[in-house]
Amino acid sequence: MEIDRLLIDRADGVEVAFERTKAWSTYCKDVIAYVRARIQLEQDHARKVHALVDTSRRDINKPFMPLREIFENSFDTEVEMVSHTKETTEHLRDRVVEALDARRKEHDTVRNALKVEWTKAMKACHDSEETFDKARMAVKMREDALKKARENV
Amino acid sequence: MEIDRLLIDRADGVEVAFERTKAWSTYCKDVIAYVRARIQLEQDHARKVHALVDTSRRDINKPFMPLREIFENSFDTEVEMVSHTKETTEHLRDRVVEALDARRKEHDTVRNALKVEWTKAMKACHDSEETFDKARMAVKMREDALKKARENV
């Protein structure tokens, strides 16, 4: 992919990639928190409306009163709306919140594993470099010693 | 009206009418309480949604994130919805709750005035009956006395 080539071309490509994936995870967390809170608000509201309708239906039950049928119908509509809200929000919770949360957890696991692997590889690389430098210096010293020995022969 | 004739034909017609108008007043009170509480619920809900959107908009503002535009749009839609809710509920409060409440107060004032008038009229009627009975008894006594006096003449 284009983005892969871009990152490979940069010296700090892997660091940038880690930074972006970390940002994606935080973004996901915020999105999930928002959707979850929004669903909660809608469910709380539905519950309160349902309670109010139950109380009001008991109060507004005098016979032969004007517009009574209209209020009864509006109560029925409210109850229907409340049950739709419940269904929809539960569906959203399952399909969006839970799914995205699972995806995010999977992402975090892979990301952390990759990070550990990358840190290990970097350390191994660094260690190799050090060993190489030391070896090169040892060779240099031996060469110098050899040169000096030859001159003194 | 038909109902007027029905009530006039009954001995307790006025009492029945008072009972029904009292019931209308109570019914109105319940209806107003319901609509008022329902409006309050809707406004509280809208306020909470607005607060949540404000917070989430601050959180979900990382650049180059997937679906970010969709969330921004959904925030705008929510804010629009909230402002519509505010307008609609305020309109309903003015047009329905306040109007019906004023109508009910007027009805109660008239009803109470009529009741006082009716009680007064009933008392006057009752007093007249009593006076009439007393007068009739007085006449009867005078007649008896006259009869006796004539017999003794």
Side-chain angles (χ1 to χ4, degrees), chain A:
Chain A
M1 276 184 337
E2 204 181 340
I3 192 84
D4 285 347
R5 271 201 303 279
L6 265 170
L7 287 172
I8 288 164
D9 284 349
R10 292 179 63 129
D12 60 348
V14 176
E15 269 73 31
V16 169
F18 273 130
E19 208 176 276
R20 291 306 296 165
T21 46
K22 168 85 200 173
W24 183 87
S25 179
T26 315
Y27 171 76
C28 255
K29 205 192 71 199
D30 291 338
V31 166
I32 290 168
Y34 165 64
V35 178
R36 195 171 263 155
R38 188 67 190 75
I39 285 174
Q40 193 60 48
L41 278 187
E42 210 61 38
Q43 287 186 344
D44 289 350
H45 180 59
R47 203 172 306 118
K48 280 180 198 159
V49 168
H50 203 168
L52 175 64
V53 165
D54 280 352
T55 318
S56 303
R57 208 197 275 274
R58 267 198 300 279
D59 288 344
I60 305 177
N61 71 345
K62 289 166 192 69
F64 315 120
M65 279 300 162
L67 303 178
R68 210 193 125 190
E69 212 166 298
I70 286 174
F71 283 105
E72 298 278 348
N73 283 346
S74 109
F75 293 152
D76 292 343
T77 313
E78 294 274 44
V79 169
E80 209 177 303
M81 186 274 287
V82 163
S83 99
H84 281 320
T85 302
K86 227 170 152 181
E87 258 175 55
T88 311
T89 51
E90 266 160 25
H91 184 74
L92 278 175
R93 207 196 291 266
D94 291 350
R95 287 294 301 267
V96 179
V97 176
E98 298 306 330
L100 196 55
D101 211 25
R103 184 71 194 76
R104 186 179 156 254
K105 269 178 195 137
E106 189 197 328
H107 167 97
D108 278 355
T109 310
V110 174
R111 190 168 54 84
N112 287 330
L114 273 177
K115 204 156 195 176
V116 167
E117 209 177 308
W118 175 250
T119 314
K120 224 184 257 171
M122 282 299 278
K123 202 183 165 299
C125 185
H126 194 74
D127 287 355
S128 300
E129 265 177 0
E130 243 172 42
T131 315
F132 175 68
D133 283 351
K134 271 184 199 153
R136 201 166 49 185
M137 267 162 63
V139 168
K140 186 83 169 51
M141 275 167 62
R142 295 287 154 82
E143 274 177 356
D144 287 352
L146 184 61
K147 216 173 164 186
K148 222 172 261 175
R150 279 202 179 129
E151 277 165 10
N152 295 343
V153 164

